[in-house]
Amino acid sequence: MSDMSTHEPTNIIYTGVAGTGKTYRLLQIAKQYTDYLPETNNEALLGQLLQSLSWREVVCLIFLDLQSKKQDLVKVPELVNHIFFATKALQNDREKNLSNTAWSVLQMHSPTTSDTVSYKNRASQAYFDKDNSGAWYLLPESMVLLTELSQQLAEFQQAQRDNQSNQNQSMGQQRFSMVSFHQAYGYEEFVEGIRPVMSGSIHANSSHSSNTQMSYAVQDGAFLKLCQRAARDPQHRYAMLIDEINRANVSRVFGELLSLIEPDKRAGKPNAMTIHLAYSGRAFSVPANVDIYATMNTQDHSLAPLDMALRRRFRFIDCPPQPELLPIIGDIASATDRAQADTVDLSKLLTGLNMRITQTLGAEAQLGHAFLFSVDDLAQLQMVLVEQIIPQLAQAAGGQVAILQYIFRDEQQPLSTQFIHDSQTMINNDLYDPTSKNHATTQHQMFAEQGAFLGQSMNVGGYMMNPDLIAKTGEFGKPAIYQRLYE
């Protein structure tokens, strides 16, 4: 994005419900406005290291690399995002199904005695195993087979250190500024304002200093500083990145800049405008090489709507939930033989939930895919449901049990398989009778001992989460109960 001659100023706000990757988009945009110093030497070294290695050897190399950094446990998303894995995929012209490749390598080279991995087509030599949290590790007995690979890694790391001593490998320049708006954020932080300035010396061994004086001066805010840099460097584009733009009083934050940020009002444009800043009185116009990107959560009704004057000056791009990005979890290897009985398709699960959420609470109450993005086993799915999804939906539904039970398809289901219970019904039911001797009493005792967070979220508005869901026991330890949420 270094050539600005044909690039018109961009004003974009990404909108959507929570968890749809809006902030992630800002971070990706930031990379486009970052100049990196050359890293050709390291890239060549890495390519040479991986060129002749198999996928299994690359995965082993990643474990060895992380072990050298005092990390023994690795989850699949972290494995796939490792620079070794990404580089090998690039060498093989691979862009899709990388997680499946990692899972296949890990499971194929797991021991037949593993308690956590069920896989049919295992290789003769085991290298990896998985713990109950879903994290993988190198088998200690495989280390003797990795001596040569360890030596190659050590030589590569030493070559990297030698390169770094001769060349700075960090980013050269960031041509962006990123801020998060909040209720107290104002014009003074964004454009300019009068703020205290400390002068003089402070003695380290003294609780106060008579040499220190405080005065007040007009100081530049984040946007003004960025514009000043952009004006000095007209051949490159700069970006203002604003997270949660509707959390502040936007009209107050932008002030007189509301007119200046319009593309045709920028410096050098046909209808260029110049104003005098409120505090310093300086003449100011927004450079044409400054782009503005922001995010806006449409789900939070406690926030004031954007000023219509601001809406006219931005393009709005909707960021809907993307369930297609979510994986299938469970025993994938045996899924075709058992009609997928041992798997949970997170994409179908989110699609089903959002369909019923839209029907009952409206489209703005939908769940973003980020809620389930890092889930790779049933235990994590249960934790996300209990700690994030159900409390959020309960708040959106005002604790109305009937709506929650519809969303989780609990109607006509026995109590043992209902995600949501009516708290009043359960209190009156013998199932929660403190004098009862049955299994439910144990559940009730467990339920009562939950932490403050769960205790609050389970009882708000007359609903309760099924104790089995919280304890990860009973039917909630089986994929079938989650499969019913698909439709």
Side-chain angles (χ1 to χ4, degrees):
M1 300 188 68
S2 60
D3 182 10
M4 64 158 287
S5 58
T6 60
H7 193 298
E8 287 297 310
T10 298
N11 295 341
I12 290 178
I13 294 178
Y14 295 101
T15 68
V17 300
T20 53
K22 300 183 296 298
T23 302
Y24 176 78
R25 288 197 184 212
L26 288 189
L27 296 177
Q28 296 304 109
I29 290 169
K31 294 179 181 180
Q32 301 174 36
Y33 293 84
T34 302
D35 297 322
Y36 293 92
L37 294 177
E39 296 186 15
T40 51
N41 289 339
N42 275 349
E43 290 175 359
L45 284 171
L46 182 56
Q48 184 179 356
L49 171 68
L50 302 177
Q51 185 65 50
S52 61
L53 300 185
S54 66
W55 273 115
R56 194 271 303 163
E57 290 172 317
V58 171
V59 172
C60 286
L61 199 68
I62 293 172
F63 277 96
L64 293 172
D65 180 55
L66 294 175
Q67 281 186 354
S68 70
K69 300 168 184 173
K70 310 302 181 185
Q71 179 180 343
D72 295 322
L73 297 174
V74 188
K75 292 198 173 183
V76 169
E78 184 178 8
L79 194 72
V80 173
N81 289 327
H82 194 282
I83 184 63
F84 292 176
F85 200 99
T87 302
K88 186 64 178 179
L90 191 63
Q91 288 180 345
N92 293 353
D93 293 325
R94 290 280 308 281
E95 295 181 2
K96 299 179 179 179
N97 302 318
L98 297 181
S99 292
N100 291 344
T101 298
W103 276 106
S104 178
V105 170
L106 293 167
Q107 293 179 119
M108 183 181 299
H109 294 280
S110 63
T112 56
T113 56
S114 174
D115 295 326
T116 56
V117 182
S118 299
Y119 195 78
K120 291 183 177 180
N121 302 317
R122 282 186 166 89
S124 57
Q125 179 61 53
Y127 288 88
F128 320 104
D129 203 354
K130 183 175 65 168
D131 66 14
N132 290 324
S133 72
W136 292 82
Y137 57 91
L138 263 182
L139 293 169
E141 56 267 30
S142 69
M143 293 299 294
V144 67
L145 304 173
L146 302 176
T147 304
E148 183 178 348
L149 209 56
S150 296
Q151 183 61 35
Q152 289 178 295
L153 176 64
E155 292 172 357
F156 169 74
Q157 291 173 334
Q158 182 58 51
Q160 267 194 323
R161 287 190 289 270
D162 292 343
N163 273 349
Q164 198 161 2
S165 64
N166 298 320
Q167 176 180 318
N168 181 10
Q169 298 297 332
S170 64
M171 64 185 65
Q173 184 185 31
Q174 292 181 340
R175 289 179 284 105
F176 67 89
S177 180
M178 187 168 185
V179 297
S180 293
F181 278 10
H182 51 80
Q183 285 84 347
Y185 199 86
Y187 179 92
E188 293 75 15
E189 290 81 19
F190 194 63
V191 185
E192 66 171 10
I194 297 175
R195 282 174 283 182
V197 178
M198 304 300 293
S199 62
S201 59
I202 300 177
H203 300 290
N205 297 324
S206 175
S207 59
H208 64 278
S209 172
S210 57
N211 296 328
T212 302
Q213 294 181 340
M214 184 174 69
S215 58
Y216 291 87
V218 175
Q219 296 190 37
D220 298 337
F223 185 67
L224 190 56
K225 289 178 181 177
L226 183 79
C227 288
Q228 290 168 346
R229 290 177 57 200
R232 294 192 296 267
D233 184 20
Q235 296 307 310
H236 294 87
R237 300 209 65 77
Y238 286 72
M240 187 73 230
L241 308 178
I242 305 169
D243 200 22
E244 302 282 8
I245 190 170
N246 55 327
R247 286 198 170 276
N249 183 333
V250 181
S251 297
R252 181 183 179 280
V253 172
F254 276 84
E256 64 271 24
L257 302 190
L258 276 179
S259 296
L260 298 187
I261 64 175
E262 292 186 51
D264 68 324
K265 303 294 195 305
R266 304 294 189 91
K269 293 297 180 179
N271 299 315
M273 284 184 61
T274 300
I275 55 92
H276 291 277
L277 295 173
Y279 286 90
S280 64
R282 290 176 291 177
F284 175 72
S285 60
V286 176
N289 59 329
V290 172
D291 300 321
I292 305 174
Y293 300 89
T295 68
M296 184 175 78
N297 186 351
T298 59
Q299 198 168 33
D300 195 338
H301 295 287
S302 66
L303 304 178
L306 282 185
D307 187 286
M308 289 305 297
L310 189 72
R311 284 188 174 275
R312 292 195 300 271
R313 289 163 170 83
F314 280 84
R315 291 165 47 205
F316 284 75
I317 297 178
D318 184 40
C319 299
Q322 295 178 272
E324 66 273 11
L325 299 179
L326 299 175
I328 296 173
I329 62 172
D331 190 358
I332 301 172
S334 62
T336 54
D337 297 333
R338 304 183 193 176
Q340 299 184 344
D342 290 337
T343 65
V344 176
D345 189 330
L346 296 180
S347 173
K348 292 181 179 178
L349 185 147
L350 183 64
T351 300
L353 285 175
N354 277 341
M355 178 185 68
R356 292 184 293 279
I357 290 169
T358 301
Q359 291 171 349
T360 54
L361 301 174
E364 290 187 356
Q366 290 183 94
L367 300 169
H369 53 273
F371 282 100
L372 300 173
F373 203 72
S374 61
V375 170
D376 55 26
D377 57 35
L378 280 187
Q380 292 180 4
L381 175 58
Q382 291 158 336
M383 182 177 66
V384 170
L385 286 169
V386 169
E387 296 184 1
Q388 297 181 55
I389 291 178
I390 293 178
Q392 176 169 311
L393 292 178
Q395 183 177 18
Q400 297 180 66
V401 176
I403 291 178
L404 294 174
Q405 289 191 328
Y406 174 76
I407 291 172
F408 286 93
R409 300 195 66 193
D410 284 335
E411 307 106 317
Q412 311 305 319
Q413 296 291 333
L415 284 173
S416 61
T417 61
Q418 290 180 2
F419 285 81
I420 305 298
H421 289 165
D422 187 317
S423 58
Q424 190 59 45
T425 301
M426 300 309 295
I427 290 171
N428 296 334
N429 195 304
D430 180 65
L431 186 66
Y432 282 88
D433 183 353
T435 63
S436 173
K437 302 295 184 182
N438 60 21
H439 170 67
T441 302
T442 304
Q443 287 187 325
H444 173 61
Q445 292 169 350
M446 177 281 301
F447 185 86
E449 293 169 1
Q450 296 303 312
F453 171 79
L454 291 182
Q456 292 171 10
S457 65
M458 286 186 294
N459 290 287
V460 171
Y463 84 98
M464 285 181 171
M465 295 184 210
N466 192 318
D468 280 345
L469 173 61
I470 301 161
K472 305 178 178 65
T473 57
E475 295 300 313
F476 291 92
K478 304 173 185 177
I481 198 167
Y482 305 99
Q483 293 170 2
R484 85 165 190 242
L485 302 178
Y486 291 174
E487 298 177 355

